[in-house]
Amino acid sequence: MKHLLLTILTAMALALNVSASSNEDKAPVRDHGHFAWGAEVGGSIDMSANDMSTIDFTALIGYRRSWMKFLGVGAGMDIMVNSSCRSFPIFANLKTSFSSRPQLLFMDVRAGLSVNYLPDDLTQTGAYAFAGVGFNLASGKKFASHLTLGYSFVDRRDVNHNEHHIEFSPLHYASVRLGIAF
């Protein structure tokens, strides 16, 4: 897992230096900022050996301006493939390339909480975090699409239920998402 985090951080550092535009001598276009919203679909592979890999759906709403590709909030639904468990992350999100010029890569960071629906009708809330690298794909005047690769963390804790102690370990995921923003 340390190697994955190191790879993600290295890719984020490279994102600062890679330009999607070959015309870097042009002055940056002034962006007054505007309302932004979007959606993502993807999947996450469980790296914590809990057999909890997911299919993920996310909705985002926020603001876009200059070097901020997106700043806002989001909510998602992570459906576990091999069980009836679900996680609903609610988070603050920042996507940025730290440049007002078009860039190929950007950083995507999310932090918040996750409402976890566990086996035996148990529910608990824990921390949620995501750090990743995004790749800009097709874009137009009113939309932009992207692909994001990164690491997700969902906190789960042990529970005492009906005089039984049930152990739940935190979840660590390798995540990939395809998104579009308007």
Side-chain angles (χ1 to χ4, degrees):
M1 181 163 57
K2 290 180 184 179
H3 297 306
L4 177 63
L5 289 174
L6 182 61
T7 303
I8 291 170
L9 291 174
T10 303
M12 283 182 201
L14 289 173
L16 300 176
N17 298 320
V18 177
S19 174
S21 172
S22 61
N23 299 325
E24 292 189 17
D25 296 333
K26 291 183 179 180
V29 176
R30 299 220 185 258
D31 183 9
H32 298 291
H34 62 279
F35 170 78
W37 64 278
E40 296 177 338
V41 63
S44 298
I45 297 172
D46 181 15
M47 299 185 305
S48 54
N50 289 303
D51 198 21
M52 300 291 273
S53 295
T54 65
I55 297 173
D56 309 328
F57 301 96
T58 305
L60 304 156
I61 186 169
Y63 181 75
R64 174 193 318 219
R65 180 174 186 180
S66 185
W67 60 273
M68 283 188 306
K69 181 176 174 69
F70 181 84
L71 177 63
V73 295
M77 179 171 60
D78 300 345
I79 304 167
M80 280 59 173
V81 177
N82 290 329
S83 71
S84 62
C85 297
R86 306 283 184 263
S87 291
F88 296 91
I90 302 164
F91 53 86
N93 184 208
L94 171 66
K95 293 180 173 93
T96 182
S97 64
F98 299 103
S99 173
S100 58
R101 297 177 189 262
Q103 301 289 315
L104 176 62
L105 301 175
F106 63 89
M107 177 181 73
D108 186 349
V109 179
R110 303 170 188 201
L113 58 93
S114 178
V115 179
N116 303 315
Y117 289 88
L118 307 168
D120 299 323
D121 294 326
L122 299 174
T123 304
Q124 66 176 222
T125 303
Y128 170 79
F130 173 83
V133 176
F135 302 87
N136 289 312
L137 301 174
S139 64
K141 290 186 181 202
K142 303 255 183 202
F143 81 97
S145 60
H146 61 272
L147 179 72
T148 310
L149 303 171
Y151 165 80
S152 298
F153 171 80
V154 176
D155 186 32
R156 299 187 320 165
R157 297 172 308 283
D158 296 348
V159 175
N160 290 319
H161 179 66
N162 293 337
E163 299 180 14
H164 298 290
H165 181 76
I166 304 171
E167 294 183 14
F168 293 106
S169 61
L171 300 174
H172 303 273
Y173 291 112
S175 301
V176 60
R177 294 184 177 104
L178 180 62
I180 187 163
F182 300 95

